[in-house]
Amino acid sequence: MIIKIIIVLLLLFILFNLFRALFIMVSGKTGGRPMSHFLGRRVLFSVVVLIFVIAALKLGFITANSSPINATAHIQI
């Protein structure tokens, strides 16, 4: 359960950085950090989330859903 909470928090942080970059782009402020800083952080944390999910799947902390193709296959006689 803690793994899922961490993933959701990281995704919320990604959205936060995306909206900060949007605010800088729309407002046109040149002072402070550039928009590319926040977009770069968004990409970095997206990669972190992807690696985190893959590692959690491989270590067995979370399980993937089964394929609906295999689960619903019926054999008619």
Side-chain angles (χ1 to χ4, degrees):
M1 184 67 179
I2 191 78
I3 301 293
K4 293 177 185 179
I5 293 172
I6 292 171
I7 292 170
V8 169
L9 289 176
L10 284 171
L11 290 174
L12 288 174
F13 187 68
I14 290 168
L15 282 174
F16 173 73
N17 280 311
L18 185 63
F19 281 111
R20 287 200 53 186
L22 175 70
F23 177 73
I24 290 173
M25 182 180 69
V26 171
S27 68
K29 291 185 178 181
T30 57
R33 296 193 175 185
M35 180 178 63
S36 62
H37 173 77
F38 296 108
L39 292 176
R41 285 174 68 175
R42 181 186 65 90
V43 171
L44 174 71
F45 281 101
S46 297
V47 171
V48 168
V49 166
L50 184 65
I51 291 171
F52 193 71
V53 168
I54 291 172
L57 280 169
K58 292 293 182 183
L59 294 174
F61 292 127
I62 58 176
T63 58
N65 291 338
S66 62
S67 174
I69 296 171
N70 295 335
T72 60
H74 295 209
I75 300 173
Q76 292 183 349
I77 300 176

